[in-house]
Amino acid sequence: MSVSFIKPRPKSIFSVELRWFFSVALTILTMVLIAGYLLSQAVDQKRQELSALQKKEQELTKAHAVLLAEQKRLQALSQMHEEIAISNRIKKENVKNFFDLVPDGIVLEYVDLKENSLRLKGTTKSKRYFNINFQRALNSLFAKSKTSFSKKKDGKYRFSNISIMEVKGE
Amino acid sequence: MNKHTSFALVVFIFLFLSLLVFLGFFIISPEVKEYRMQSIALAQQSSRVVQKELDYNRAYQSLQSLQEQEQSFDQAINRHFKLEDFEAYLDQYFLSFEVKNITTQHKKDLKIDTLEIRAIFDAPVRYYRFIDALNTFEWVAEIEDPQKFKGVAVGIEAYFTLKVYTRTY
């Protein structure tokens, strides 16, 4: 009969190799699950960043639209400003040019300055003086210019002139 | 290691590898794919936002310069029209004047007051200065044809129409 000197130990159903294998497998499995979790967290973070950027884009689009509307309003205002300023300047130039045109020997009593026509009444020392010094200038500025004269008691002439500018399409 | 243990080990290795493939295929791979898609979308969105910011900044600068340029006109058109203040203004340019037939009409968001003015001035230069001053006026005003002039004892009597524009809200 053989005798053993070591104390008998309970035998595990898992061998050492199997235990090693399970440890490694468990570690790998845990790592895979942790990687999955971390990836999921990273995806969530990206989603949040994307959502924040989308919100920012929407806000920018809204703010940009407000800016563009204000810009449009100001552009319309700017155009109106320019049109009015030009119109006033043209009106002043028209009056100024007309008064500069009147020679010294002619006294104006009435001037009606419209966009396309001019009516004048006044006195001149002679018909010849009027025709040479004023009528020629009126003829060059207007398409039609007609003057009628009447003699005054003091020898001067009263004139009445109508000048019409050529209007496109007429 | 006996025969049964070896067989069990092989079975476990097979099952473990299957589980790994399963997890990789159903958990890791979709997450990685989703992560990549989100990264691409984020990069695209980021470039869109940068472009929008650039556009916004450009529009803002353009608006600021326009605001500076049109500040006085903007104030003038939003200023409530007062005939008393206007008459005080006319007083600087004319010897005497009369404002009559004030009519008001509304066009879109604008109120247009049309004034017929009869004014006497001593020299044409006064009238030119008045029209020049209209462009830097406290209100937005436009002179209208016809402009009539008549010689009077003290100078020239002018009849003209003035349109004053005010913005309504």
Side-chain angles (χ1 to χ4, degrees):
Chain A
M1 182 183 169
S2 59
V3 179
S4 175
F5 292 101
I6 59 163
K7 197 180 170 187
R9 289 173 294 175
K11 195 167 183 180
S12 168
I13 56 163
F14 295 114
S15 66
V16 177
E17 291 88 353
L18 262 179
R19 265 185 274 166
W20 268 103
F21 172 76
F22 279 132
S23 308
V24 171
L26 201 68
T27 309
I28 292 172
L29 201 66
T30 312
M31 283 169 71
V32 166
L33 288 172
I34 288 172
Y37 174 74
L38 290 176
L39 263 172
S40 152
Q41 291 290 309
V43 167
D44 276 353
Q45 200 185 334
K46 290 269 178 198
R47 275 197 194 115
Q48 279 171 8
E49 283 176 35
L50 189 66
S51 165
L53 277 179
Q54 279 168 343
K55 200 176 170 189
K56 193 175 178 183
E57 190 192 6
Q58 280 175 357
E59 282 168 7
L60 274 171
T61 307
K62 216 181 271 180
H64 196 224
V66 171
L67 275 190
L68 288 180
E70 177 65 5
Q71 201 170 23
K72 201 175 166 187
R73 184 189 75 82
L74 281 174
Q75 275 168 347
L77 216 61
S78 176
Q79 194 185 344
M80 185 186 172
H81 183 194
E82 206 175 312
E83 281 171 7
I84 290 175
I86 289 171
S87 164
N88 285 339
R89 222 168 287 143
I90 288 172
K91 300 253 163 48
K92 186 199 93 174
E93 288 303 318
N94 284 347
V95 175
K96 190 172 185 294
N97 290 341
F98 171 72
F99 280 131
D100 289 347
L101 204 72
V102 182
D104 291 338
I106 288 169
V107 178
L108 292 174
E109 287 164 8
Y110 176 78
V111 180
D112 181 354
L113 203 63
K114 286 181 186 162
E115 200 178 353
N116 298 310
S117 69
L118 173 71
R119 286 171 77 100
L120 297 172
K121 279 178 186 170
T123 51
T124 175
K125 52 186 177 185
S126 70
K127 285 183 185 178
R128 193 168 178 273
Y129 181 85
F130 183 92
N131 288 331
I132 291 171
N133 295 295
F134 200 34
Q135 187 62 61
R136 279 181 188 171
L138 291 172
N139 287 342
S140 68
L141 289 172
F142 294 91
K144 286 176 191 168
S145 182
K146 199 177 170 185
T147 311
S148 57
F149 297 93
S150 58
K151 198 168 184 179
K152 287 171 72 182
K153 285 176 185 170
D154 58 0
K156 288 182 179 177
Y157 286 86
R158 186 179 291 278
F159 67 86
S160 177
N161 172 277
I162 299 176
S163 302
I164 299 165
M165 214 169 259
E166 200 168 26
V167 181
K168 282 178 187 173
E170 281 185 10
Chain B
M1 195 184 284
N2 62 28
K3 201 177 170 183
H4 286 287
T5 315
S6 300
F7 179 72
L9 187 64
V10 169
V11 168
F12 277 121
I13 289 171
F14 177 76
L15 285 173
F16 174 70
L17 288 174
S18 302
L19 184 68
L20 267 186
V21 168
F22 178 83
L23 287 175
F25 195 76
F26 287 103
I27 296 178
I28 305 291
S29 177
E31 286 293 331
V32 169
K33 203 174 166 187
E34 179 68 17
Y35 183 81
R36 285 185 60 194
M37 276 169 61
Q38 290 292 330
S39 295
I40 292 167
L42 195 66
Q44 285 173 345
Q45 185 67 33
S46 183
S47 76
R48 268 204 299 271
V49 168
V50 168
Q51 188 58 48
K52 287 257 174 191
E53 276 176 337
L54 283 172
D55 290 345
Y56 177 83
N57 289 341
R58 217 174 291 138
Y60 185 73
Q61 280 174 356
S62 159
L63 179 69
Q64 262 190 329
S65 69
L66 202 60
Q67 274 174 333
E68 282 165 24
Q69 190 188 315
E70 295 301 327
Q71 193 182 15
S72 59
F73 189 80
D74 200 15
Q75 281 172 351
I77 203 154
N78 287 307
R79 197 179 156 90
H80 178 67
F81 177 66
K82 271 188 191 167
L83 187 63
E84 305 85 60
D85 292 347
F86 175 70
E87 284 178 336
Y89 188 81
L90 286 178
D91 208 26
Q92 300 169 43
Y93 296 93
F94 301 115
L95 299 172
S96 66
F97 60 85
E98 190 188 333
V99 182
K100 55 179 183 176
N101 286 350
I102 305 167
T103 55
T104 304
Q105 61 182 116
H106 292 267
K107 201 176 170 187
K108 286 183 185 174
D109 60 344
L110 284 177
K111 181 172 94 105
I112 306 166
D113 291 295
T114 307
L115 319 171
E116 279 180 24
I117 297 168
R118 185 187 65 83
I120 296 175
F121 51 91
D122 49 9
V125 72
R126 285 266 183 194
Y127 189 71
Y128 309 152
R129 278 187 203 146
F130 165 72
I131 300 180
D132 280 337
L134 277 183
N135 287 341
T136 52
F137 205 28
E138 284 178 49
W139 296 276
V140 177
E142 183 180 20
I143 199 154
E144 289 265 302
D145 279 332
Q147 298 173 82
K148 295 177 185 173
F149 303 93
K150 198 174 163 187
V152 289
V154 285
I156 303 167
E157 191 176 57
Y159 298 88
F160 55 91
T161 310
L162 207 63
K163 279 189 170 174
V164 181
Y165 299 88
T166 319
R167 200 167 163 212
T168 51
Y169 293 97

